[in-house]
Amino acid sequence: MKTVPRPQPGPALPAEVPLTAEELQLASRNHAMPLEMLGRDRTPAGMHYLVVHFDVPAIDAGSWRLRIGGAVRRPLELTLAELQAREQRTLAVTLECAGNGRSLIHPRPISQPWIHGGIGTAEWTGTPLAPLLAEAGVDPEAMDIVFTGADHGLQGGVEHDYARSLPVAEAMSPDVLLAYAMNGAPLPPQHGFPVRLVVPGWYGMASVKWLTGIEAVTEPFEGFQQIGSYRYKRSEADRGEPVTRMKVRALMVPPGFPDFLTRHRVVEAGPVLLHGRAWSGRAPVQQVQVAVDGAWADAELDAADGEFAWRGWSFHWQATPGEHELMCRAMDALGQVQPLEPEWNYLGMGNNAVQKVAVTVRTPR
Ligand SMILES: Nc1nc2c(c(=O)[nH]1)N[C@H]1C(S)=C(S)[C@@H](COP(=O)(O)O)O[C@H]1N2
Ligand SMILES: [Mo]
């Protein structure tokens, strides 16, 4: 048997290089949402995409405490019961990993190799963060609020607890939640038990799981997950721009049925209802279009489902026998549209290029 030398994980690999063992390891821990779940308003917890940078920490809810400190007048320490006794709010929020679509970028940055499934919409219940920050009395000099998780590891050679910051004004938004329930049940271990941050509209990295500390800081936060990752960079040396809110995007439920190995789709000729979801973290979705073999036409939009959840769409396709390529794209109220081809960046962030689905249409038997 011929042995093939395995490519060393580097910053980026061209399309023809197969998935590395490290990418496979990441992909099997951090699973995607199966795209057929785009047919439902809410994603069940076990089918919502998952990203765990390090290990899922074992946290005892009884001894867990949330500490709010740093540049505040009155540092606070809260138990889970105290958090749950506060004002309660439930929001349907679409979360998307900033790396969603990364494996479709060439050369391919070596990290979690998402195709399209780094996405999900759950109902998150918790208490709004803003009143707690107000009680703690954030120093007017404070620039960022830093959120730290209980998980710990090495990334880019830097050992750290997973931590991300938000500018004070963003952290004070009434929609940012300290969530303790997902779809009406306590957070599952993998989604941040007992408490996580949920930052509606932002890519998922901002929604820190297994939250233990909230700290106001008077200098810009420069932790690894803020500076070393989640940046739109042109090269390794480029400091890049921070990744913040989700770009506009539409995805479709792949029609018909799949081939097991390739997942190529087979559809019977005749009327086919194409459908899916669209979202943007920047402005409401205004329009969705579908292309059959490159010809774009408007899809129908369902009613909006709150401010932060994806919006359903559908499109009647008269499928004719042969090979076809389907695409979908959304536009938001800021007029932002999706590119036809991925826009390359060094870390493979924010690829919202249109989804392309190849379909074989056969004559009904
Ligand atoms: N503490 C902690 N929070 C975290 C992460 C993590 O690894 N550790 N991953 C982040 C990333 S990159 C994403 S996309 C979302 C994923 O949330 P989910 O796994 O609940 O879908 O969680 C974010 N919060
Ligand atoms: Mo992510």
Side-chain angles (χ1 to χ4, degrees):
M1 203 172 84
K2 214 176 122 203
T3 57
V4 181
R6 189 163 61 79
Q8 289 302 304
L13 293 174
E16 58 280 5
V17 177
L19 218 60
T20 64
E22 287 80 2
E23 288 170 292
L24 174 60
Q25 189 165 249
L26 280 171
S28 54
R29 283 186 59 88
N30 300 318
H31 65 74
M33 183 194 76
L35 292 188
E36 57 273 31
M37 300 310 283
L38 288 163
R40 308 189 188 200
D41 295 341
R42 303 286 177 264
T43 316
M47 300 183 94
H48 191 281
Y49 87 95
L50 185 68
V51 177
V52 177
H53 280 70
F54 306 128
D55 291 344
V56 174
I59 299 180
D60 170 52
S63 53
W64 176 87
R65 297 288 181 276
L66 178 64
R67 294 188 176 82
I68 304 182
V72 298
R73 277 195 302 284
R74 289 172 296 277
L76 302 173
E77 192 175 298
L78 292 113
T79 65
L80 182 57
E82 285 166 340
L83 269 188
Q84 290 173 334
R86 296 180 63 89
E87 174 195 350
Q88 181 174 302
R89 219 176 145 200
T90 297
L91 286 175
V93 177
T94 294
L95 286 182
E96 181 180 18
C97 181
N100 199 18
R102 176 181 288 125
S103 71
L104 304 172
I105 290 177
H106 309 302
R108 173 175 97 239
I110 293 298
S111 184
Q112 167 71 21
W114 292 119
I115 305 173
H116 289 117
I119 181 75
T121 299
E123 256 166 44
W124 301 96
T125 300
T127 194
L129 171 67
L132 267 170
L133 290 179
E135 277 171 43
V138 175
D139 192 309
E141 309 272 272
M143 296 193 68
D144 287 339
I145 307 290
V146 182
F147 302 90
T148 303
D151 50 329
H152 184 92
L154 271 164
Q155 197 179 340
V158 180
E159 191 178 329
H160 60 281
D161 293 340
Y162 185 93
R164 286 276 315 177
S165 67
L166 289 173
V168 174
E170 294 279 354
M172 290 301 286
S173 151
D175 306 312
V176 173
L177 298 183
L178 299 172
Y180 42 76
M182 178 184 194
N183 295 336
L187 295 186
Q190 71 273 26
H191 289 292
F193 181 85
V195 175
R196 75 177 301 171
L197 194 67
V198 171
V199 187
W202 283 57
Y203 279 115
M205 73 284 156
S207 293
V208 176
K209 305 194 278 188
W210 312 294
L211 201 60
T212 57
I214 299 177
E215 202 194 346
V217 293
T218 53
E219 299 287 326
F221 176 61
E222 302 226 317
F224 180 84
Q225 303 293 342
Q226 204 73 25
I227 294 300
S229 190
Y230 302 108
R231 316 281 298 191
Y232 294 109
K233 286 160 61 119
R234 304 310 310 162
S235 65
E236 187 175 9
D238 180 14
R239 186 174 161 96
E241 289 301 311
V243 173
T244 59
R245 291 177 173 272
M246 296 183 293
K247 295 184 188 173
V248 65
R249 185 178 210 152
L251 289 175
M252 76 174 87
V253 175
F257 61 82
D259 171 63
F260 168 70
L261 191 61
T262 62
R263 300 206 59 82
H264 181 84
R265 312 301 301 189
V266 179
V267 167
E268 299 222 321
V272 177
L273 185 69
L274 299 174
H275 64 125
R277 307 273 159 182
W279 62 93
S280 163
R282 302 177 178 192
V285 168
Q286 208 158 52
Q287 188 186 31
V288 172
Q289 293 188 315
V290 168
V292 178
D293 303 322
W296 292 98
D298 287 350
E300 269 171 54
L301 285 178
D302 297 348
D305 176 14
E307 212 183 320
F308 305 113
W310 54 25
R311 189 162 178 185
W313 59 265
S314 57
F315 181 87
H316 294 274
W317 175 35
Q318 198 60 38
T320 54
E323 300 301 321
H324 297 284
E325 186 186 60
L326 305 175
M327 297 190 283
C328 61
R329 70 178 176 198
M331 186 175 82
D332 69 17
L334 290 172
Q336 300 180 104
V337 291
Q338 299 180 239
L340 277 178
E341 298 300 330
E343 289 159 1
W344 188 89
N345 62 79
Y346 184 78
L347 296 172
M349 296 292 169
N351 173 16
N352 67 335
V354 301
Q355 176 193 14
K356 298 176 180 168
V357 181
V359 180
T360 300
V361 179
R362 67 176 189 200
T363 41
R365 330 179 150 195

